Amino acid sequence: MDFEMLNNLVPENNPEPKKQLDKKKLKIVIIVTSIVIFITAMIVLYITNVKVRDFFDKYIFRKEVYENNLPKIDLTEDDNNYSYAFGKNIVVLNKHTLNIYNSSGKKENSLNVEIANPIFISVDKFLVIAETNGQKLYVISDNNILWQESVTGDIINITVNKNGYVSVVVNNTGYKTEVITYDSNGKFLFKKALAVNYAVDVSISEDNKYLAIAEANFSGTLIQSSIEIISIEKAIANENDSYTYKAEANKLIVNVEYQEKNRLLCMYDDSIHIIENNNDKELIKYDYKNTLFMDINLNSTIAHIEKISTDSLVSNSEIKFTNIINNSTNSYEIGGIPKSVCSYKDITAINLGAEVVFVKTSGWLSKRYKSSQEVQNIILANGIAGIVYKNKIEIVKL
């Protein structure tokens, strides 16, 4: 036998050489995995640990800002300065002159406004200014006067929706109150007279279809509150098409506010209700023992601030945001007792004296402002806030 041929027929028993481990790829995998684990751990700590969250907010995310390090508007030191925020602007009314400033503190325009003691209200680009217990009314848009009007009676309240529709509440001879409604061009639409009830508050739906009037009757031994919802289209045609929701006896209606999709929030002295699809439903019940502030001027959300007990002697409070659609809640521990609160869209500003905390409805901190002196007032609009002192307004971008 040919041994050489036999050797060729027998398979070789030599294994294939092993592939060498790619150390570079392994190193990359280890680094990426470590980074993911580290980031995940930091996120968990940020969510669950207050001290870690405060550290990140201050040093990493730079959410803490300080007095005298921000754009500002200088004010004359007298008692006749009235300030407000709308759109991305801040306005200051002094001696019939309305100065309009941008977010950098630069003056954009000056308007002559014959108002001495103003009521302000704004939504998005529309600002309404009226004379308290007077007759004058101005609507501002794009830094100019869009229209103005003089009414019969004494103005006690105003409202505007995002499309520029305006309702004015006046005290008038012969009636307790009248509610006068105008379109975005200042055209008179209709007037609603209340012979017995007082109009406590008003709100216009976002689609311009409905006017809600919060009413209270004080003539009996018990207060009787109600909400009258009027079809604007039918009222313009002089057709009586309204529906009234009556509250339990001795419940005082405080505020009404239309939110998205014609959901009407109604704030009473002990609860908050929602009127939607012809149903009146209680959302929150509260008491004055622990409740400090309530606010319904947010997007589909209620802000509820209450005192909380702690192990220390320091007073503390917590803000809770309740979503009116799914009833979910988010909360944020404030770290003190608020002196005042204001809200706009998805931000609530909480004045703690020499500190202002801006909290999103998601429950996360937006900004923390620290001052060397007491904050006099806070004005809040779309992505901008004004910290008001006697001689200046400091501007915080949110």
Side-chain angles (χ1 to χ4, degrees):
M1 180 179 286
D2 190 339
F3 288 100
E4 184 178 349
M5 183 181 297
L6 184 61
N7 287 334
N8 289 334
L9 291 176
V10 177
E12 293 184 6
N13 199 24
N14 296 328
E16 293 184 5
K18 292 183 179 180
K19 292 182 179 179
Q20 291 187 351
L21 187 64
D22 192 331
K23 294 182 179 179
K24 186 176 181 181
K25 286 185 178 180
L26 179 61
K27 186 178 180 180
I28 292 173
V29 170
I30 292 172
I31 292 172
V32 170
T33 303
S34 300
I35 291 172
V36 170
I37 292 171
F38 176 78
I39 292 174
T40 303
M42 289 299 100
I43 291 173
V44 171
L45 283 171
Y46 184 83
I47 294 172
T48 59
N49 191 298
V50 174
K51 291 184 178 180
V52 171
R53 184 163 60 245
D54 289 343
F55 176 86
F56 270 73
D57 286 342
K58 183 176 181 179
Y59 297 105
I60 307 299
F61 301 132
R62 303 292 182 182
K63 291 183 179 182
E64 198 164 286
V65 294
Y66 301 89
E67 181 191 3
N68 298 322
N69 286 302
L70 298 168
K72 70 173 181 175
I73 300 166
D74 291 317
L75 302 177
T76 56
E77 291 195 45
D78 58 35
D79 296 328
N80 297 317
N81 289 312
Y82 299 93
S83 56
Y84 201 76
F86 85 104
K88 293 185 179 296
N89 300 308
I90 287 175
V91 299
V92 179
L93 178 63
N94 183 283
K95 297 178 182 178
H96 304 309
T97 298
L98 185 75
N99 291 317
I100 303 174
Y101 301 87
N102 62 22
S103 60
S104 299
K106 179 183 177 182
K107 186 188 293 187
E108 296 285 343
N109 201 5
S110 292
L111 304 173
N112 181 40
V113 176
E114 295 297 320
I115 287 176
N117 187 18
I119 306 171
F120 292 103
I121 189 73
S122 71
V123 174
D124 292 341
K125 67 177 184 177
F126 295 101
L127 170 68
V128 184
I129 312 172
E131 180 72 45
T132 305
N133 296 320
Q135 290 74 47
K136 291 284 187 178
L137 170 74
Y138 293 83
V139 178
I140 314 295
S141 183
D142 296 326
N143 294 345
N144 286 292
I145 297 173
L146 185 62
W147 59 270
Q148 63 186 79
E149 185 63 89
S150 292
V151 302
T152 302
D154 299 329
I155 297 173
I156 58 174
N157 203 349
I158 52 176
T159 192
V160 63
N161 75 354
K162 69 175 187 178
N163 301 314
Y165 276 55
V166 174
S167 283
V168 187
V169 181
V170 299
N171 276 335
N172 212 338
T173 304
Y175 294 97
K176 297 294 183 185
T177 47
E178 288 182 326
V179 182
I180 309 167
T181 301
Y182 303 89
D183 71 8
S184 58
N185 297 313
K187 178 184 175 182
F188 170 82
L189 298 180
F190 69 94
K191 181 187 296 184
K192 172 69 177 179
L194 306 178
V196 178
N197 296 344
Y198 288 90
V200 177
D201 195 22
V202 287
S203 185
I204 304 171
S205 63
E206 290 189 344
D207 59 7
N208 313 326
K209 289 185 177 181
Y210 301 102
L211 169 69
I213 306 175
E215 304 174 13
N217 187 332
F218 301 100
S219 61
T221 56
L222 298 176
I223 299 171
Q224 181 59 64
S225 296
S226 59
I227 299 101
E228 184 177 6
I229 298 178
I230 299 170
S231 166
I232 292 178
E233 181 182 4
K234 296 293 180 67
I236 293 171
N238 291 319
E239 298 178 20
N240 185 15
D241 186 10
S242 65
Y243 191 85
T244 300
Y245 297 84
K246 286 191 176 182
E248 297 174 10
N250 223 30
K251 283 174 69 77
L252 177 61
I253 184 74
V254 178
N255 189 13
V256 289
E257 189 72 29
Y258 268 111
Q259 297 195 357
E260 294 92 341
K261 297 184 178 179
N262 292 344
R263 300 182 183 98
L264 180 66
L265 288 187
C266 311
M267 182 187 295
Y268 295 91
D269 57 350
D270 63 352
S271 62
I272 293 177
H273 290 225
I274 182 171
I275 295 176
E276 183 182 15
N277 299 324
N278 298 323
N279 292 318
D280 182 356
K281 178 185 176 183
E282 183 179 279
L283 293 178
I284 293 178
K285 185 82 172 176
Y286 54 90
D287 60 75
Y288 287 108
K289 183 179 179 181
N290 295 312
T291 300
L292 300 172
F293 291 94
M294 300 292 297
D295 203 319
I296 58 175
N297 296 304
L298 290 158
N299 288 341
S300 299
T301 308
I302 298 167
H304 177 199
I305 299 180
E306 60 183 21
K307 290 183 286 186
I308 57 175
S309 59
T310 60
D311 295 332
S312 66
L313 298 175
V314 178
S315 298
N316 204 354
S317 58
E318 182 180 58
I319 183 167
K320 291 183 179 179
F321 297 102
T322 302
N323 186 290
I324 65 173
I325 300 172
N326 56 28
N327 209 35
S328 63
T329 61
N330 298 308
S331 62
Y332 183 88
E333 191 171 317
I334 297 168
I337 300 298
K339 295 181 180 296
S340 64
V341 171
C342 64
S343 298
Y344 186 81
K345 290 195 173 181
D346 66 339
I347 293 281
T348 294
I350 303 152
N351 180 9
L352 298 172
E355 183 177 325
V356 179
V357 181
F358 298 92
V359 186
K360 296 180 180 180
T361 54
S362 59
W364 297 112
L365 180 71
S366 175
K367 280 285 192 304
R368 184 186 301 274
Y369 173 89
K370 290 193 173 184
S371 173
S372 61
Q373 56 182 315
E374 289 281 316
V375 173
Q376 188 176 31
N377 191 23
I378 309 167
I379 50 180
L380 187 63
N382 188 21
I384 186 174
I387 310 297
V388 183
Y389 300 95
K390 190 173 182 63
N391 63 339
K392 66 180 178 179
I393 300 173
E394 294 214 325
I395 301 171
V396 179
K397 295 178 183 179
L398 303 172

